[in-house]
Amino acid sequence: MDTTMHDSSGPAQRQVVATCSPLAQEQLALRPLAVTDVRLTGGPWARWQQANRAATIPHGLHWLEKDGVIDNFRRLWGESDAPRKGWVFCDSDLYKTLEAIGWDLAHGAHAPWDEAVTDAVGLLTKTQEGDGYLNTFVQAGLAGRWADLPRGHELYVGGHLIQAGIAHARVTGDERLLDIGRAFADLLVTEFGRDGRLTGTDGHPEIETALVELYRYTGVRAYLDLAEHLLDVRGHGLLGNGLFGPAYFQDDVPVRSRTEIVGHSVRALYLLAGVVDVYLETGEAALLEAAEAQWRSMVAGKTYLTGAVGSRFEGEAFGDAYELPPDLVYGETCAAIASVMVSWRLLLATGDGKYADLIERILHNAFAASTSADRTAFFYVNPMQRRKARPAPARGTKPLRTDAPGTRADWFDVACCPPNIMRTVASLTGYVATVDDGGVQLHQYLPATVAWDAGAVVRVQTEYPRTGTVTVVVDEAPGGSWALSLRVPSWARGGATVTVAGGETTAAAPDARGYHVVTRDWAAGDTVVLELPVEPRLTVPHPGVDAVRGCVAIERGPVVYCLEKPADAAAALPGELVDLTTVAIDPGSELVVVPAPQLGEDVLSIQVDGVEGADPAWDGAGWATLDEAPGPAGRPVTLTAIPYAVWANRGPSELRVWVPLAF
Amino acid sequence: MDTTMHDSSGPAQRQVVATCSPLAQEQLALRPLAVTDVRLTGGPWARWQQANRAATIPHGLHWLEKDGVIDNFRRLWGESDAPRKGWVFCDSDLYKTLEAIGWDLAHGAHAPWDEAVTDAVGLLTKTQEGDGYLNTFVQAGLAGRWADLPRGHELYVGGHLIQAGIAHARVTGDERLLDIGRAFADLLVTEFGRDGRLTGTDGHPEIETALVELYRYTGVRAYLDLAEHLLDVRGHGLLGNGLFGPAYFQDDVPVRSRTEIVGHSVRALYLLAGVVDVYLETGEAALLEAAEAQWRSMVAGKTYLTGAVGSRFEGEAFGDAYELPPDLVYGETCAAIASVMVSWRLLLATGDGKYADLIERILHNAFAASTSADRTAFFYVNPMQRRKARPAPARGTKPLRTDAPGTRADWFDVACCPPNIMRTVASLTGYVATVDDGGVQLHQYLPATVAWDAGAVVRVQTEYPRTGTVTVVVDEAPGGSWALSLRVPSWARGGATVTVAGGETTAAAPDARGYHVVTRDWAAGDTVVLELPVEPRLTVPHPGVDAVRGCVAIERGPVVYCLEKPADAAAALPGELVDLTTVAIDPGSELVVVPAPQLGEDVLSIQVDGVEGADPAWDGAGWATLDEAPGPAGRPVTLTAIPYAVWANRGPSELRVWVPLAF
């Protein structure tokens, strides 16, 4: 065992209360702020954080009991005689919920959470074996320890335990959970390290990023070394073929050689988060290059307009480039979250706003759509087209993960997504801003205050994305010049303006990284107004995306719109009851913004001219000769589009994001 | 037990040696001919039948041994100590192979088949229990008898046993296999009949059509009654939810009320074959109406241009209408075969040539593409677009069913398709022609002789579809007037001509059913020449099929073409090494037919003008604002298209059937 392992028992230097808090600073283009340095002061994300505490996390704790996840622990020491239930990885449902509670405590104390954590610590302490091992599936005798690394998820589950411990330790200083996770990590170092007796790794990445975070918290190099070692061994076919071949678990190509993102989307992206994490600590350029190349391949041809990734049901996987069907999309919620995790790390590493652009796209669309208006029901699979309304799941039931229901479900048989959503919502604040030696960078626009080391505080006032106006007020400004960097989203280039301290309004001039930088000797009370052009626009897909050729999508600011046709006609807005099979949009139409408070606070709909209806000559025919094909036909109609994020809140419905252009 | 059950031990009257031989005649618009009444005299289908005997069936028998399917029987009475292997339904792999052998014997005696059948009869006789029960999975103790009807496949497997017995009994009169199947059927009548103690049915239809055929052979009404009863009970939710809900096994809606084809595609179509079979014997109009409505829904919006059906990997299922992605298509080979079975029965019931049109489309494309040039490797999943070449499976290995490899595989872990192909090829002859009281109808054009009751014999001479000329020579003509009906495929309407007995050539005048009918007092030596316009043409999809909007496919006669780009550049034809992601076809291009003997006897390629390459402004971008989107770009190129049926014969490759139109 590495003799340095227990040199440090407390936080290492430079510890920041964030979900990714690099210890080394050399590789950081931007430095994360603590979730406590940023305070949301209102708006939809603040409301979601409040609902996360009030509704979502309690709902999750209820399901952990109902589903037997807690009893799986109790039965191991005789407190429950319930049979072991759930998948091999279901301990992680508890751990991710505990992580969510940890980040949530950053927003203020909450007595029920103290009780929940104490209960969990008791549960885990009683269950953990003397050498640190902890896994209810294996401890129930259903599998041998480390006996099925490709499928057993033992390191994956342990990674989530470690991340839960780190959240609590960083936010409150309570290291009780961390001690449990750390004992497991120490066992991993012994068993799986370079001198360990085991040569494999887990079929599902996750441990890598967790170990790097543990290194960051403790300063114990052995955790980083193990993370690096687990990257090294991957990609050499040591996991076998499984059901879907070695690319499924990224075991076909070494991580440093891979340039295209492939395989199971959550595995691919959790691994990539670990790759960037190791780069951030070691500075090994090959890791960053591989991660950036994979990210580029993802955005160029494997990301949906909503930010969702992973088109294939088969293997929950990335498809080939441009394989982006809107109807058969899997688009797992966890994959969208994992994509945020990767982009955040790359943003810190490079400072390039394209990573914050993707985070914005995901958060406002794929991620926002994953959860119901009351924040207690969820999508696992996130379609962008539904030709036929599907039944809603009954409340209190849990569909299979792949059985995509008509509306959001309370829970899932594979329940990875709901607690992943909880921990992401609780830690969202961390993605808002960063600092560097020159000043502060604002990446996501929400009503918030941002404070940082230098003693400066800025306050962001905005209704974005309902409006495009973002006002930044300098509340506290220590002496000297520093830079305020405002991200100009790629969709806003050419149309954004900036007004500094009441001066002249000028076109925003984003730098090569996509930020408009204002450098000056700030005084308290100074304001900068960024005006983003949130007029609705029509977007076309890359011509390689065959599944939506000839179509447009409506976007407004960062918000992707959709046409939804509720099966319950009484719930429809005017302009929603059209035939979505034959509908088409007039490319010359005005796009008219109309408030739609029926769909939620701040929701804006968009009206657009189009046609619906096909030539009856097509009836019964699947195809026709080019020369004899019936021509375009359709009745003029005014269509109403709504934000994708709020679809499926009115019962079963038909849906489409991409709509053909009428010619 | 029905007291009529053993009234008859031999064939009922009107028995015809065909795969569907209705006993009642009232419902038959057309009557099937015996497979021995039609003799293929050459051409690609005759060669395939020869290869089926010489290569495919021996290959199948080898795999049945290698895979343990035979040992599963032997071990039950101690002749093997191999562990039970394979899926619950793998006995049916043997039964379908035996059925293939039965139909193959119609083409001539073959000593190895006699031996194979005697061996199988010995195997099954030793295994069958005293009350007729036979199922190696249950008899191995791995499940209780009838304990898991939704998933157990016991009646499904028994249905294939019965069909194998019928094939042998009809072709050779050998009733040994039939006796085994009949004993199982008698047990079913006792257990599952209206007075039986069991109220369920099998999750996988198949027993229905088998029981009707058994009724036809034996004349024993109890089998027909049971088939009808099993139709009656289905659709009332008695199979539970399973993994995919009751629609998966057509248990959501009663068969007579269903108008849209849904769920697992093979289950849906095997059931539909049973529905039409019961109609053909009972004349219950509601059954025919439901079947025709479902067929229409299938062809209008759920059938690929190749004739493949079942777009979804998830549940191997039909998608919603117009959900026809070319890349993520499942398109199981068994589903294409099942679609032929249904269309054949509807053709007999109605005489409408649209059913023979679909059979032609399937046989020349989806079905033909399922098997390698040497006839010993197979596709289970049949893509119509592949953006990235996938590795070929190693010879001697068997992929999972859903793990679609780059080229055809020797066998599959779920091995339903290969023996289904074998039995279909062996019985293909039955789909060529029918008769009615007025004369003969030719549905599929191959070099063949057709003889029927009336003592007439016609001889078809043709190289179709290599050429469009079909010459029918009357070899024997008893006195009196009779009608020769020639199907004019829907793609040929307007362009076909007919020349009767050396007279004037006139435009073909198909009747409402799609047949050009020549009625006269025929003399031996009379000829009719049908000239079908097989010039290549461009085909467009229904505008509801989003996944291929703006694309065309190349067709020539009944043959669907594709662009294939072999990974091995040396194997490519001129005009195949283009970028299939950005390729587009010039809608005004000439379509030039060029022989391609490298790809097989009689293969014709088609050259077409197009472009390849995208505007570099798209690099790295997944989408763009409509106003700012890069325009079309591309270098002129001459493309070479090949028949879809012969793709993947040159190692791994990229593929596309639907190609964007260049504007």
Side-chain angles (χ1 to χ4, degrees):
Chain A
M1 187 178 291
D2 187 314
T3 55
T4 66
M5 277 186 73
H6 292 284
D7 288 358
S8 167
S9 61
Q13 286 190 314
R14 297 204 192 81
Q15 192 63 37
V16 174
V17 184
T19 57
C20 168
S21 178
L23 201 51
Q25 302 293 293
E26 299 84 338
Q27 281 73 242
L28 287 180
L30 310 175
R31 297 195 298 271
L33 286 171
V35 289
T36 46
D37 289 339
V38 178
R39 293 278 173 202
L40 305 193
T41 54
W45 295 99
R47 292 199 295 274
W48 196 350
Q49 284 192 333
Q50 289 153 11
N52 197 42
R53 171 177 286 196
T56 318
I57 293 174
H59 173 88
L61 292 171
H62 163 76
W63 270 95
L64 292 171
E65 277 291 359
K66 174 170 174 169
D67 236 15
V69 171
I70 308 294
D71 278 337
N72 286 344
F73 290 88
R74 294 188 185 116
R75 63 187 293 282
L76 292 174
W77 27 271
E79 195 183 308
S80 164
D81 54 6
R84 206 273 170 194
K85 284 187 194 160
W87 295 83
V88 290
F89 41 75
C90 72
D91 294 357
S92 66
D93 302 343
L94 170 63
Y95 300 153
K96 281 190 285 189
T97 306
L98 289 169
E99 186 187 340
I101 287 173
W103 296 119
D104 186 66
L105 285 168
H107 312 310
H110 191 53
W113 290 175
D114 300 338
E115 189 183 336
V117 174
T118 298
D119 286 353
V121 167
L123 198 72
L124 302 185
T125 304
K126 281 192 186 171
T127 312
Q128 188 165 39
E129 298 189 5
D131 63 356
Y133 189 82
L134 182 54
N135 181 297
T136 65
F137 189 82
V138 169
Q139 290 174 266
L142 298 172
R145 194 192 276 199
W146 321 129
D148 185 6
L149 291 172
R151 298 188 300 175
H153 288 72
E154 291 162 273
L155 281 67
Y156 165 90
V157 169
H160 280 302
L161 170 62
I162 292 165
Q163 288 191 317
I166 288 170
H168 285 273
R170 284 193 181 143
V171 170
T172 66
D174 177 354
E175 293 186 347
R176 289 175 299 164
L177 270 176
L178 183 69
D179 288 343
I180 297 167
R182 193 172 172 183
F184 187 83
D186 290 344
L187 178 64
L188 293 185
V189 170
T190 307
E191 296 278 59
F192 288 88
R194 285 200 173 76
D195 303 324
R197 66 185 179 87
L198 295 167
T199 54
T201 189
D202 197 292
H204 199 313
E206 154 64 25
I207 189 65
E208 300 81 358
T209 188
L211 285 170
V212 177
E213 285 277 81
L214 185 59
Y215 159 70
R216 289 166 177 162
Y217 187 83
T218 62
V220 175
R221 178 87 196 182
Y223 304 131
L224 176 62
D225 289 344
L226 178 57
E228 191 174 26
H229 174 66
L230 293 176
L231 296 186
D232 292 344
V233 300
R234 205 173 200 94
H236 300 281
L238 82 172
L239 291 167
N241 274 318
L243 283 172
F244 306 107
Y248 169 74
F249 17 55
Q250 297 74 45
D251 194 30
D252 54 333
V253 173
V255 293
R256 293 167 182 81
S257 311
R258 187 184 291 290
T259 55
E260 182 183 353
I261 196 137
V262 300
H264 185 274
S265 52
V266 178
R267 290 169 204 248
L269 289 165
Y270 278 11
L271 178 65
L272 213 52
V275 166
V276 185
D277 273 330
V278 172
Y279 160 77
L280 286 171
E281 301 303 340
T282 67
E284 186 193 343
L287 292 174
L288 179 64
E289 285 161 18
E292 289 193 280
Q294 289 182 57
W295 189 94
R296 283 194 301 272
S297 77
M298 179 174 75
V299 172
K302 301 191 180 191
T303 297
Y304 285 88
L305 191 66
T306 59
V309 290
S311 49
R312 292 187 186 166
F313 274 71
E314 192 70 4
E316 309 188 302
F318 284 105
D320 295 330
Y322 306 117
E323 182 186 311
L324 293 168
D327 45 3
L328 291 173
V329 53
Y330 197 68
E332 181 178 344
T333 300
C334 285
I337 291 169
S339 182
V340 170
M341 290 164 52
V342 171
S343 282
W344 177 250
R345 285 157 174 76
L346 287 169
L347 177 63
L348 297 182
T350 67
D352 195 324
K354 68 183 181 182
Y355 299 114
D357 278 5
L358 183 61
I359 290 172
E360 174 175 66
R361 181 172 290 280
I362 295 166
L363 292 182
H364 283 275
N365 301 290
F367 183 69
S370 71
T371 309
S372 62
D374 70 1
R375 306 304 185 192
T376 60
F378 314 94
F379 275 133
Y380 191 118
V381 169
N382 290 280
M384 293 174 68
Q385 180 172 15
R386 187 152 281 172
R387 293 185 179 79
K388 196 169 177 174
R390 296 188 188 184
R395 294 240 54 163
T397 64
K398 50 168 192 167
L400 277 170
R401 71 188 190 287
T402 55
D403 180 21
T407 60
R408 298 168 187 85
D410 277 22
W411 207 248
F412 292 92
D413 189 56
V414 172
C416 52
C417 295
N420 219 352
I421 293 167
M422 295 172 208
R423 68 176 184 141
T424 305
V425 171
S427 60
L428 265 181
T429 324
Y431 300 121
V432 171
T434 55
V435 291
D436 62 10
D437 291 342
V440 67
Q441 300 81 38
L442 298 183
H443 304 291
Q444 306 299 335
Y445 298 119
L446 330 152
T449 59
V450 179
W452 68 100
D453 302 343
V457 178
V458 298
R459 180 160 38 97
V460 182
Q461 297 175 320
T462 184
E463 292 186 78
Y464 181 85
R466 183 180 167 86
T467 76
T469 307
V470 179
T471 302
V472 182
V473 183
V474 176
D475 276 348
E476 295 179 33
S481 167
W482 50 271
L484 172 66
S485 296
L486 301 167
R487 183 176 61 91
V488 182
S490 59
W491 53 263
R493 305 283 158 84
T497 64
V498 178
T499 312
V500 179
E504 194 181 347
T505 297
T506 59
D511 63 10
R513 291 170 168 184
Y515 292 79
H516 182 93
V517 183
V518 184
T519 306
R520 55 186 271 148
D521 289 324
W522 297 93
D526 279 354
T527 61
V528 177
V529 179
L530 172 68
E531 197 70 53
L532 294 169
V534 292
E535 295 78 31
R537 63 192 189 277
L538 296 178
T539 299
V540 294
H542 187 286
V545 186
D546 300 286
V548 291
R549 186 186 316 288
C551 289
V552 289
I554 300 170
E555 294 187 280
R556 179 181 176 277
V559 178
V560 175
Y561 276 71
C562 66
L563 302 183
E564 182 177 29
K565 182 181 183 180
D568 173 10
L573 304 176
E576 286 194 317
L577 295 177
V578 297
D579 175 8
L580 292 190
T581 299
T582 59
V583 71
I585 285 179
D586 177 350
S589 170
E590 265 195 290
L591 299 163
V592 181
V593 175
V594 179
Q598 308 94 315
L599 302 185
E601 201 168 340
D602 298 338
V603 174
L604 302 176
S605 70
I606 295 174
Q607 292 186 347
V608 57
D609 297 334
V611 295
E612 65 160 342
D615 191 319
W618 274 114
D619 285 358
W623 44 80
T625 305
L626 178 63
D627 304 336
E628 297 165 2
R635 294 171 295 282
V637 65
T638 298
L639 308 167
T640 294
I642 66 167
Y644 175 72
V646 298
W647 90 280
N649 279 329
R650 293 172 286 170
S653 60
E654 297 170 39
L655 165 77
R656 71 185 304 162
V657 170
W658 291 103
V659 183
L661 275 176
F663 287 109
Chain B
M1 187 178 293
D2 187 314
T3 54
T4 66
M5 275 187 74
H6 292 284
D7 288 357
S8 166
S9 61
Q13 285 190 317
R14 295 204 192 81
Q15 192 63 40
V16 173
V17 184
T19 57
C20 169
S21 178
L23 202 51
Q25 302 293 291
E26 298 85 338
Q27 280 73 245
L28 287 180
L30 309 175
R31 298 196 297 273
L33 285 170
V35 288
T36 46
D37 289 339
V38 179
R39 292 280 174 199
L40 305 193
T41 55
W45 296 98
R47 291 197 295 273
W48 196 350
Q49 284 193 333
Q50 289 153 12
N52 197 43
R53 170 177 287 197
T56 318
I57 295 174
H59 174 88
L61 292 171
H62 162 76
W63 270 96
L64 292 172
E65 277 291 1
K66 174 171 174 168
D67 237 14
V69 171
I70 307 294
D71 279 337
N72 286 343
F73 290 88
R74 293 189 186 116
R75 63 186 292 284
L76 292 175
W77 25 272
E79 195 184 307
S80 164
D81 55 7
R84 206 275 172 194
K85 283 188 195 161
W87 295 84
V88 291
F89 41 75
C90 72
D91 294 358
S92 67
D93 302 343
L94 170 62
Y95 300 153
K96 282 191 283 190
T97 306
L98 289 170
E99 186 187 341
I101 288 173
W103 297 118
D104 185 66
L105 285 167
H107 312 311
H110 191 52
W113 290 174
D114 299 340
E115 191 183 334
V117 175
T118 298
D119 286 353
V121 167
L123 197 72
L124 302 185
T125 303
K126 282 191 184 172
T127 311
Q128 189 164 39
E129 297 188 7
D131 63 357
Y133 190 81
L134 181 55
N135 182 297
T136 65
F137 189 81
V138 170
Q139 290 174 267
L142 298 173
R145 194 193 275 201
W146 321 129
D148 185 7
L149 290 172
R151 298 188 301 175
H153 287 73
E154 291 161 273
L155 282 67
Y156 166 90
V157 169
H160 279 301
L161 170 62
I162 292 165
Q163 288 191 317
I166 288 170
H168 284 273
R170 284 192 181 142
V171 170
T172 65
D174 177 354
E175 293 186 346
R176 291 175 299 165
L177 269 176
L178 184 68
D179 287 343
I180 297 167
R182 195 172 171 182
F184 186 83
D186 290 344
L187 177 64
L188 293 184
V189 169
T190 307
E191 298 276 62
F192 288 88
R194 287 201 173 74
D195 303 323
R197 66 185 180 85
L198 295 168
T199 54
T201 188
D202 197 293
H204 199 314
E206 153 63 26
I207 189 66
E208 299 83 357
T209 185
L211 284 169
V212 177
E213 285 276 83
L214 185 59
Y215 158 70
R216 289 165 178 163
Y217 187 83
T218 62
V220 175
R221 179 86 195 182
Y223 303 132
L224 176 62
D225 288 344
L226 178 57
E228 193 175 22
H229 174 66
L230 293 176
L231 296 186
D232 292 344
V233 298
R234 204 174 202 92
H236 300 280
L238 81 172
L239 291 167
N241 273 319
L243 282 173
F244 306 107
Y248 170 76
F249 20 54
Q250 294 74 47
D251 194 31
D252 54 332
V253 174
V255 293
R256 292 168 182 80
S257 311
R258 186 184 291 288
T259 55
E260 182 183 354
I261 195 139
V262 299
H264 185 273
S265 52
V266 178
R267 290 169 205 248
L269 289 165
Y270 278 11
L271 179 65
L272 213 52
V275 166
V276 185
D277 274 330
V278 171
Y279 160 76
L280 286 171
E281 302 302 341
T282 67
E284 185 193 345
L287 293 175
L288 179 65
E289 285 161 17
E292 287 191 282
Q294 289 183 57
W295 189 93
R296 283 193 301 271
S297 77
M298 179 174 76
V299 171
K302 302 190 182 191
T303 298
Y304 285 89
L305 192 66
T306 59
V309 290
S311 49
R312 291 186 187 167
F313 273 71
E314 193 69 5
E316 308 187 306
F318 283 104
D320 295 331
Y322 306 118
E323 181 186 312
L324 292 169
D327 45 4
L328 290 173
V329 52
Y330 196 69
E332 181 178 344
T333 300
C334 284
I337 291 169
S339 182
V340 170
M341 289 165 53
V342 171
S343 282
W344 178 249
R345 284 158 174 77
L346 287 169
L347 177 63
L348 297 182
T350 67
D352 194 324
K354 68 183 182 183
Y355 299 113
D357 278 4
L358 183 61
I359 291 173
E360 175 175 65
R361 180 172 292 278
I362 295 167
L363 292 182
H364 283 277
N365 300 292
F367 182 69
S370 71
T371 309
S372 63
D374 71 0
R375 305 306 185 192
T376 60
F378 315 94
F379 275 133
Y380 190 118
V381 169
N382 291 279
M384 290 174 70
Q385 179 171 16
R386 186 151 281 173
R387 292 185 179 80
K388 196 169 176 175
R390 296 189 188 184
R395 293 240 56 161
T397 65
K398 49 168 193 167
L400 279 169
R401 71 189 191 286
T402 56
D403 180 20
T407 60
R408 298 166 185 88
D410 277 23
W411 207 247
F412 292 93
D413 190 56
V414 172
C416 52
C417 294
N420 219 352
I421 294 167
M422 294 173 208
R423 69 177 184 141
T424 305
V425 171
S427 60
L428 267 180
T429 325
Y431 299 121
V432 172
T434 55
V435 291
D436 63 8
D437 290 342
V440 67
Q441 300 82 36
L442 298 183
H443 304 291
Q444 306 299 333
Y445 298 119
L446 332 151
T449 59
V450 179
W452 68 99
D453 302 344
V457 178
V458 297
R459 179 159 38 96
V460 181
Q461 297 174 322
T462 184
E463 291 185 80
Y464 181 85
R466 183 179 167 86
T467 76
T469 308
V470 179
T471 302
V472 182
V473 182
V474 176
D475 275 349
E476 295 180 33
S481 167
W482 50 270
L484 172 66
S485 296
L486 301 167
R487 183 176 61 93
V488 182
S490 59
W491 52 262
R493 306 281 158 83
T497 64
V498 178
T499 313
V500 179
E504 195 182 343
T505 298
T506 59
D511 63 11
R513 293 170 166 183
Y515 293 80
H516 181 94
V517 183
V518 184
T519 306
R520 54 187 273 147
D521 288 325
W522 298 92
D526 278 355
T527 61
V528 176
V529 179
L530 172 68
E531 195 73 51
L532 295 169
V534 290
E535 295 78 31
R537 63 192 189 276
L538 296 179
T539 298
V540 294
H542 187 287
V545 185
D546 300 285
V548 293
R549 185 185 317 286
C551 289
V552 290
I554 300 170
E555 294 187 280
R556 179 179 177 278
V559 178
V560 175
Y561 277 71
C562 66
L563 301 183
E564 183 177 28
K565 182 180 181 179
D568 173 10
L573 303 177
E576 286 194 318
L577 295 177
V578 297
D579 176 10
L580 292 189
T581 299
T582 60
V583 71
I585 285 178
D586 177 352
S589 170
E590 267 196 290
L591 299 162
V592 181
V593 175
V594 179
Q598 307 94 314
L599 303 185
E601 201 168 339
D602 298 338
V603 174
L604 301 176
S605 70
I606 295 174
Q607 292 186 348
V608 58
D609 296 334
V611 294
E612 64 161 342
D615 191 320
W618 274 113
D619 286 357
W623 45 79
T625 305
L626 178 62
D627 304 336
E628 297 164 3
R635 295 170 294 283
V637 64
T638 300
L639 308 166
T640 295
I642 65 166
Y644 175 72
V646 298
W647 90 280
N649 279 328
R650 292 172 288 171
S653 60
E654 297 169 39
L655 165 78
R656 72 185 303 164
V657 170
W658 291 103
V659 183
L661 274 176
F663 286 109

